[in-house]
Amino acid sequence: MRTRPLKVALLGCGVVGSEVTRIMTTHADDLAQRIGAPVELAGVAVRRPSKVREGIDPSLVTTDATALVKRGDIDVVVEVIGGIEPARSLITTAFEHGASVVSANKALLAQDGAALHAAAEEHGRDLYYEAAVAGAIPLIRPLRESLAGDKVNRVLGIVNGTTNFILDKMDSTGAGYQEALDEATALGYAEADPTADVEGFDAAAKAAILAGIAFHTRVRLDDVYREGMAEVTAADFRSAKEMGCTIKLLAICERAADGESVTARVHPAMIPLTHPLASVRGAYNAVFVESDAAGQLMFYGPGAGGAPTASAVLGDLVAVCRNRLNGATGPGESSYAALPVSPMGEVVTRYHISLDVADKPGVLAQVATVFAEHGVSIDTVRQQGKDGEASLVVVTHRASDASLTGTVEALRKLDTVRGVASIMRVEGE
Amino acid sequence: MRTRPLKVALLGCGVVGSEVTRIMTTHADDLAQRIGAPVELAGVAVRRPSKVREGIDPSLVTTDATALVKRGDIDVVVEVIGGIEPARSLITTAFEHGASVVSANKALLAQDGAALHAAAEEHGRDLYYEAAVAGAIPLIRPLRESLAGDKVNRVLGIVNGTTNFILDKMDSTGAGYQEALDEATALGYAEADPTADVEGFDAAAKAAILAGIAFHTRVRLDDVYREGMAEVTAADFRSAKEMGCTIKLLAICERAADGESVTARVHPAMIPLTHPLASVRGAYNAVFVESDAAGQLMFYGPGAGGAPTASAVLGDLVAVCRNRLNGATGPGESSYAALPVSPMGEVVTRYHISLDVADKPGVLAQVATVFAEHGVSIDTVRQQGKDGEASLVVVTHRASDASLTGTVEALRKLDTVRGVASIMRVEGE
């Protein structure tokens, strides 16, 4: 084993960063054995240097992150700051000064992954980011390496623990959205401003990264269709139960049936209770992958938290250090397929639609005509009437999202349709 | 991209091998992009050369596997023959003649993994075998690479699809073992001689491989305690249900509480219905991993079959080819921890014991005394009596398997105990 240590610079020392340093210290011997050389923490860039950081030599702490990544003797930069800047500039500078990079930054990777990969390749360095998607769950390495000889057709994931906690709570207790969100906030599962989670921004960033890797195609955050889950109601869960379903906020990356394009989207959807994703409880994450040869795979685990994210960071750190000792780099970005990303309208899916309608003869015929005119075939209809009011629950067969949207718009214009109570896509069948 | 192809020799052309050649042909362009060079099938060693093999150039087919691996121009040998010999000699010869090896051979890896890894290392070549454990499920790469910075404490797996199909059938229909086995045989899930599956030999080989990788320690097949599932009865499933459990044949690899030794075992066990492994249905496989930092992870998918196994083989093939182009090798065997493998008696677990006892006063006191004398603490006892006969169901707290075995032996000697109806370990709590 080489005795000269590999030098690691840590950018950011919050929940994840401090866990990374803790494991680097307590498992130093194990890491050295697995890498083939010891690793040494050479510097820690923070915003508040006065904060006491247990187990970290104060002389390593600096507020000048740029100087740290420019030192020239750093082998690996671990970036756990998050956000776009200064993380992006620091990573680029790190490559320019000879370091490889391990990042947990999903927002940055989703937005600027292509440019960062290009910078890594230009300088012959590694860019690894297992922790950016679904925390500790090994996902990027299995997709990029284990399935490298296979053809992935669909990735269906619960990739945000906060929203899964809320939806699971609504499902199991019958609570409304606000009540479940309040509980998630009280328990620390949701942030004070939960927008990034409940509006699906966080999941959309992960969907962009997953789609890119799964389909060997660049998928940008802007390419991902996104709907939040704030409008999911207790009534939706009752409807879902009647269909033998539950509701999850899903990140869905699909190859079109002809194989010539891909789509990526995030929205709440009904999935059958028999689907392996339906039983993913609490703040856990899980990603379901369908491929030509392997069939159906699922990866399950904690999607966030300091220690789980640190586990993913350290797995990458070991790989990058090994590559460095070998004078090699791991697999970089693979975007050779360069498939076009189709808009949401071209996604083929099913709808579950609840309509409030007038309780009089001929309404169903009118409604059915609208579906037919838009080329949307109906799977089942259920009518319930009371006191001159009635509800109509329609579940469609598979159709393009554009046709389904057009159908709903036309339904809203019917005099006999008093309102569209809910629209929910049905997935995972 | 390099235009000179990498040459692949295929040993065995059965269900898996023919699927490997099919994917190599249909996905040739994708594979070339992912590797950075085209791959070419340079030879296929078979036993029956006269058999027509669709899509394979007959001039590539040979019965002389040894000559094929000795050619000297082969970059990667894919071994899907199975069994110990001639696979072992062929793999060793392949290394000697400069090839790297991808194998799907669990029996061979479990028995001779250390020697084969040493041969690979001696010649600076790769030995990859993702397909040897749980078919298409990415498991070896996540354990060896993604969790390389973490500390795995327990691996709990359903790694045999045949037995899971049988147990799932018993659970869902109330069928007895023989009836469920007959159905598995009729549907092609069980072989005509199901011994390797139902007696746990197949799962034990996988447990040895998993324990070795998880704990960085050599674990041989002989180190794995093994009990088959032929004695599991419909009554056991009823008992399990009463406890909120189901029964699975589990491969369990554990680090002792003090971290200083490991154990590996295969046996049927009760697990709570709330455990993610409980809902693994049919012939699917799943492996649950507990580690210090990542927490609880689960990997789920098809554990067998031509196409899923070929997916794993091809993932390895891409990795090995990339390493070859880089002039590097991937992570080899890591056995630096070299922890002792403890015998079954030192495993700490819980027992669910059903006793047929005389229905008279004092029996429970007698039985409880035996437990106490062996230092085994009782969690719950349930008595049911009718017509002078009674049954006593005891669930213990955690104790060493040796103490539990000793307890059962002493119970059998009690006059008031007419028989031990069943003993089952309880796991996953």
Side-chain angles (χ1 to χ4, degrees):
Chain A
M1 189 163 74
R2 188 177 108 159
T3 51
R4 187 161 56 83
L6 289 155
K7 293 190 179 176
V8 175
L10 180 65
L11 309 183
C13 198
V15 179
V16 176
S18 54
E19 196 61 31
V20 168
T21 61
R22 192 190 62 75
I23 298 173
M24 279 182 68
T25 308
T26 55
H27 292 195
D29 291 346
D30 282 324
L31 291 171
Q33 291 286 351
R34 293 171 195 184
I35 291 167
V39 279
E40 175 188 296
L41 192 63
V44 182
V46 302
R47 272 185 304 183
R48 285 171 299 158
S50 56
K51 191 175 153 192
V52 175
R53 293 181 171 83
E54 207 181 328
I56 298 178
D57 179 351
S59 72
L60 297 178
V61 175
T62 173
T63 55
D64 192 346
T66 306
L68 179 58
V69 300
K70 278 185 173 172
R71 264 173 50 175
D73 66 334
I74 302 296
D75 292 289
V76 186
V77 169
V78 173
E79 183 271 306
V80 287
I81 309 174
I84 304 299
E85 282 296 349
R88 178 172 52 193
S89 303
L90 291 168
I91 290 175
T92 311
T93 308
F95 290 136
E96 287 164 4
H97 289 79
S100 284
V101 173
V102 174
S103 170
N105 194 329
K106 56 184 168 277
L108 179 57
L109 265 303
Q111 184 179 304
D112 293 313
L116 295 173
H117 273 295
E121 197 171 345
E122 183 191 338
H123 296 282
R125 294 295 176 256
D126 275 327
L127 171 62
Y128 275 51
Y129 47 91
E130 182 67 78
V133 181
I137 310 175
L139 205 53
I140 292 181
R141 190 173 275 103
L143 276 174
R144 196 149 71 165
E145 301 180 35
S146 304
L147 291 172
D150 204 337
K151 187 178 169 193
V152 175
N153 294 311
R154 181 181 288 133
V155 177
L156 206 62
I158 296 170
V159 293
N160 180 278
T162 305
T163 48
N164 200 58
F165 180 90
I166 294 170
L167 290 170
D168 186 22
K169 192 54 67 176
M170 292 175 73
D171 185 39
S172 59
T173 66
Y177 167 71
Q178 191 59 48
E179 188 186 336
L181 171 60
D182 290 347
E183 185 173 347
T185 310
L187 292 170
Y189 286 114
E191 295 182 41
D193 176 0
T195 310
D197 293 318
V198 301
E199 293 301 332
F201 291 101
D202 174 85
K206 294 164 180 169
I209 297 172
L210 287 174
I213 293 170
F215 304 134
H216 301 271
T217 285
R218 277 185 192 150
V219 179
R220 287 173 52 90
L221 186 51
D222 294 345
D223 295 326
V224 182
Y225 173 85
R226 182 190 52 75
E227 263 177 47
M229 46 84 72
E231 287 175 23
V232 176
T233 64
D236 289 330
F237 272 100
R238 289 193 294 274
S239 298
K241 281 207 171 90
E242 283 169 13
M243 282 186 64
C245 287
T246 186
I247 298 170
K248 296 289 187 189
L249 184 74
L250 297 179
I252 305 173
C253 313
E254 284 179 316
R255 192 188 291 275
D258 66 3
E260 299 302 316
S261 65
V262 299
T263 53
R265 52 193 165 116
V266 168
H267 55 72
M270 294 186 182
I271 57 166
L273 292 171
T274 51
H275 194 284
L277 287 176
S279 51
V280 175
R281 300 274 168 238
Y284 272 85
N285 282 198
V287 177
F288 193 79
V289 177
E290 294 176 35
S291 72
D292 261 7
Q296 303 184 323
L297 302 172
M298 191 171 79
F299 304 84
Y300 165 100
T309 307
S311 168
V313 166
L314 282 155
D316 280 355
L317 181 66
V318 170
V320 169
C321 286
R322 290 183 57 95
N323 291 344
R324 203 140 173 119
L325 288 180
N326 287 332
T329 53
E333 187 187 33
S334 168
S335 59
Y336 71 86
L339 296 168
V341 185
S342 300
M344 187 62 191
E346 292 180 26
V347 163
V348 173
T349 182
R350 297 175 63 195
Y351 267 25
H352 176 284
I353 307 167
S354 294
L355 303 171
D356 294 325
V357 296
D359 190 10
K360 60 183 187 186
V363 173
L364 177 56
Q366 270 193 322
V367 165
T369 303
V370 169
F371 278 89
E373 283 169 357
H374 289 81
V376 176
S377 166
I378 292 176
D379 181 11
T380 60
V381 180
R382 201 172 64 248
Q383 288 196 81
Q384 285 179 312
K386 63 170 202 284
D387 308 329
E389 288 282 335
S391 74
L392 212 57
V393 174
V394 181
V395 181
T396 74
H397 283 299
R398 285 165 62 80
S400 77
D401 207 77
S403 307
L404 291 160
T405 306
T407 305
V408 172
E409 277 169 19
L411 289 171
R412 285 189 205 275
K413 289 179 190 150
L414 288 183
D415 289 343
T416 47
V417 172
R418 299 201 174 138
V420 179
S422 90
I423 308 163
M424 183 93 53
R425 294 181 188 86
V426 184
E427 305 287 340
E429 291 172 307
Chain B
M1 191 163 74
R2 187 177 109 160
T3 50
R4 187 162 54 84
L6 289 154
K7 293 189 180 178
V8 175
L10 181 66
L11 310 182
C13 199
V15 178
V16 176
S18 54
E19 196 61 31
V20 167
T21 61
R22 192 189 63 75
I23 298 174
M24 280 181 68
T25 308
T26 56
H27 292 196
D29 291 346
D30 282 326
L31 291 170
Q33 290 286 349
R34 294 172 195 183
I35 291 167
V39 277
E40 174 189 298
L41 191 63
V44 182
V46 300
R47 272 185 304 183
R48 284 171 298 158
S50 55
K51 191 175 153 193
V52 175
R53 292 180 171 84
E54 208 181 328
I56 298 177
D57 178 351
S59 72
L60 297 177
V61 176
T62 173
T63 53
D64 192 346
T66 306
L68 179 59
V69 299
K70 278 185 174 173
R71 265 173 49 175
D73 66 334
I74 302 296
D75 293 288
V76 186
V77 168
V78 173
E79 184 270 306
V80 288
I81 309 175
I84 305 301
E85 283 295 351
R88 178 171 54 193
S89 303
L90 290 169
I91 290 175
T92 310
T93 308
F95 290 136
E96 287 164 3
H97 289 79
S100 284
V101 173
V102 174
S103 170
N105 195 329
K106 57 185 168 278
L108 178 58
L109 264 304
Q111 184 179 305
D112 293 313
L116 293 174
H117 274 294
E121 198 171 344
E122 183 191 339
H123 297 283
R125 295 293 177 256
D126 275 327
L127 171 62
Y128 274 51
Y129 46 92
E130 182 67 78
V133 182
I137 309 176
L139 205 52
I140 292 180
R141 189 173 277 105
L143 276 174
R144 194 149 71 167
E145 302 181 33
S146 305
L147 291 171
D150 204 337
K151 188 176 169 196
V152 175
N153 295 311
R154 182 181 286 131
V155 177
L156 207 62
I158 296 170
V159 293
N160 180 277
T162 304
T163 48
N164 200 58
F165 179 90
I166 293 169
L167 291 170
D168 185 22
K169 190 56 65 177
M170 291 174 74
D171 185 39
S172 58
T173 66
Y177 167 71
Q178 191 58 49
E179 188 186 337
L181 171 60
D182 290 346
E183 185 173 346
T185 310
L187 291 170
Y189 286 113
E191 294 181 42
D193 176 1
T195 309
D197 293 317
V198 302
E199 293 301 332
F201 290 102
D202 173 84
K206 293 164 179 170
I209 297 172
L210 286 173
I213 293 170
F215 304 133
H216 300 272
T217 285
R218 279 186 192 150
V219 179
R220 288 172 50 91
L221 187 51
D222 293 346
D223 295 325
V224 182
Y225 173 84
R226 183 191 52 74
E227 262 177 47
M229 44 88 69
E231 286 175 22
V232 177
T233 64
D236 290 329
F237 272 100
R238 289 193 295 274
S239 299
K241 282 207 170 89
E242 283 168 15
M243 283 187 63
C245 286
T246 186
I247 299 169
K248 297 289 187 189
L249 184 75
L250 296 179
I252 305 173
C253 312
E254 283 179 317
R255 191 187 292 275
D258 66 3
E260 299 301 317
S261 64
V262 299
T263 53
R265 52 193 165 117
V266 168
H267 55 71
M270 294 186 183
I271 57 165
L273 292 173
T274 52
H275 195 284
L277 287 177
S279 52
V280 175
R281 300 272 168 240
Y284 272 85
N285 281 198
V287 176
F288 193 78
V289 177
E290 294 175 36
S291 73
D292 261 7
Q296 303 184 323
L297 301 172
M298 190 172 79
F299 304 83
Y300 165 99
T309 307
S311 169
V313 166
L314 282 155
D316 280 354
L317 181 66
V318 169
V320 169
C321 286
R322 289 183 57 94
N323 291 345
R324 201 135 175 125
L325 288 180
N326 287 332
T329 53
E333 187 188 32
S334 167
S335 58
Y336 70 88
L339 296 168
V341 185
S342 300
M344 187 63 192
E346 292 180 26
V347 163
V348 174
T349 182
R350 296 175 64 197
Y351 267 24
H352 175 285
I353 307 167
S354 294
L355 303 171
D356 295 323
V357 296
D359 189 10
K360 60 183 186 187
V363 172
L364 178 55
Q366 271 193 321
V367 166
T369 303
V370 170
F371 278 88
E373 283 168 357
H374 289 81
V376 176
S377 167
I378 291 176
D379 181 11
T380 60
V381 180
R382 201 172 64 247
Q383 288 197 80
Q384 284 178 314
K386 63 170 202 287
D387 307 331
E389 289 282 335
S391 74
L392 212 55
V393 175
V394 181
V395 181
T396 73
H397 283 299
R398 284 164 63 80
S400 76
D401 207 78
S403 308
L404 290 160
T405 306
T407 306
V408 172
E409 277 169 19
L411 288 172
R412 286 188 205 274
K413 288 178 190 150
L414 288 182
D415 288 343
T416 48
V417 171
R418 301 204 171 134
V420 179
S422 90
I423 308 162
M424 183 94 53
R425 295 182 186 85
V426 184
E427 305 287 341
E429 290 171 308

